[in-house]
Amino acid sequence: MRLRVFAAALAALSVAALSGCGETGASGGDGSLRIMAPAAAGGGWDQTARTAEQALKTADPKRKVEVYNVPGAGGTIGLAQLAGEKGNGNLLMTMGLVMVGAIEQNKSKVTLAETTPIAKLTEEYEIVVVPADSPFKTLADMVAAWKADPAKISVAGGSAGGTDHIVAGLMAKAAGVDPKQVNYIAHSGGGEALNALLGSKVSAGISGVGEFAEHVKSGKLRALAVSSGSRVAGLDAPTLKEGGLDVELANWRGFVAPGGLDDAAKKSLTDLVTKMHDSQPWKDAVAKNGWIDSFQTGQQFADYLKSEETKVKGIIAEMGLVS
């Protein structure tokens, strides 16, 4: 797995170098904006970035907006690339709780302290699913098998140390299974995890509700539980607490920009993202994807980031997820 992650990281860096990611200067004279999704296509960051792209084009039709992907290492490959764009006011990176965990998990030399926090956008609860042909009809079925032989239950999700991994660890702990024994299969994007599930290559999967809901409704996947405090509208799935596991956790996503921005560039990006947030296409997408609007900007978001870093560091240490 480590070799595959390393190879993917090298490939991502090579593609980024060839695509000329730093071509747009800090002045923003051409009114263009690039949004980096630091993961493979098909995942939550990619979905958020492309939803934002469409909403921005509606809110500001004259502005050219482009999304590009830099997969690898829970977003820390993209984060390192962003750090090299210091002062670039034409660049945003989608990020969130997954990245906070991955920085800790991967012992990343580059941290969020080297970025400019712009806005927290959404929160989203996690969903636990199994393939349609799985013998597990309920969460209790899965937990019983998990307790009997943790190694036999493979759980697909996003990056190691990310939200999906944390939920798996918290579920294991609540079920009386050693979190260090969880057979977690990390993927660089939601699309890869979904393929593993649809191909019945793994026992279960954990991801954001928006990534799996369609496939649950079509019958290709079976939902065992959601990580919310109460049931999610439109989904026939109990909460983890209803299923006997005292776990509740919401993932969140937002935007950061490169470090070293002057006040004018920071205000310009914040105003643009606020305009996007207030647009009808964004509001419609939030509702459609089952996201929760949790918009924050400025110092409020910066303070939230710091508190999340402290919280996640504690959870990862407790779960024994640090490599």
Side-chain angles (χ1 to χ4, degrees):
M1 183 67 199
R2 290 180 183 276
L3 285 174
R4 288 202 299 273
V5 169
F6 182 64
L10 284 178
L13 286 172
S14 300
V15 170
L18 288 171
S19 65
C21 293
E23 287 176 3
T24 306
S27 64
D30 60 358
S32 63
L33 176 73
R34 305 190 83 212
I35 302 175
M36 182 203 303
W45 286 340
D46 181 67
Q47 186 182 27
T48 300
R50 294 183 190 281
T51 300
E53 176 189 17
Q54 294 308 311
L56 281 165
K57 284 178 176 177
T58 302
D60 191 353
K62 293 181 181 178
R63 187 178 299 269
K64 182 184 175 185
V65 184
E66 177 195 356
V67 172
Y68 66 102
N69 297 79
V70 181
T76 54
I77 300 297
L79 177 62
Q81 192 179 106
L82 189 82
E85 294 280 351
K86 192 172 181 180
N88 185 348
N90 295 323
L91 180 61
L92 288 171
M93 180 179 73
T94 311
M95 50 74 68
L97 181 57
V98 171
M99 185 173 288
V100 177
I103 288 168
E104 188 68 21
Q105 167 81 13
N106 297 323
K107 298 185 175 72
S108 174
K109 291 180 181 178
V110 182
T111 71
L112 292 169
E114 293 169 63
T115 70
T116 302
I118 298 298
K120 179 186 175 191
L121 298 172
T122 60
E123 290 184 349
E124 181 181 22
Y125 289 111
E126 298 274 286
I127 185 168
V128 182
V129 301
V130 292
D133 60 0
S134 169
F136 306 140
K137 306 299 181 188
T138 65
L139 183 63
D141 292 341
M142 176 181 159
V143 169
W146 216 5
K147 291 171 85 167
D149 192 347
K152 275 191 176 179
I153 306 302
S154 53
V155 182
S159 308
T163 315
D164 307 339
H165 197 173
I166 288 171
V167 168
L170 292 173
M171 283 174 61
K173 185 182 179 186
V177 175
D178 182 355
K180 295 175 185 178
Q181 298 300 311
V182 174
N183 181 11
Y184 185 78
I185 313 297
H187 296 80
S188 64
E192 292 180 9
L194 177 62
N195 288 337
L197 280 159
L198 295 177
S200 296
K201 294 175 183 175
V202 290
S203 309
I206 301 174
S207 191
V209 168
E211 293 181 52
F212 287 162
E214 242 181 73
H215 303 283
V216 169
K217 289 171 184 174
S218 71
K220 292 178 181 176
L221 297 175
R222 181 184 303 122
L224 298 186
V226 287
S227 69
S228 49
S230 56
R231 293 197 177 203
V232 174
L235 268 182
D236 183 19
T239 65
L240 285 168
K241 288 183 178 181
E242 284 181 88
L245 301 182
D246 189 13
V247 176
E248 182 179 338
L249 186 74
N251 189 10
W252 60 266
R253 299 184 184 106
F255 281 143
V256 294
L261 294 191
D262 58 34
D263 290 343
K266 185 176 177 181
K267 183 179 186 303
S268 177
L269 281 174
T270 303
D271 288 350
L272 180 63
V273 173
T274 301
K275 190 176 181 180
M276 177 209 80
H277 165 263
D278 295 340
S279 72
Q280 197 58 46
W282 178 259
K283 290 176 181 178
D284 291 345
V286 167
K288 180 186 175 185
N289 291 314
W291 297 340
I292 301 157
D293 187 353
S294 58
F295 195 62
Q296 292 180 347
T297 59
Q299 193 58 45
Q300 187 183 19
F301 179 44
D303 292 343
Y304 178 81
L305 260 183
K306 287 179 183 176
S307 69
E308 285 293 282
E309 287 176 294
T310 301
K311 181 176 81 174
V312 169
K313 189 173 184 177
I315 290 174
I316 284 180
E318 187 182 356
M319 294 295 98
L321 303 181
V322 179
S323 55

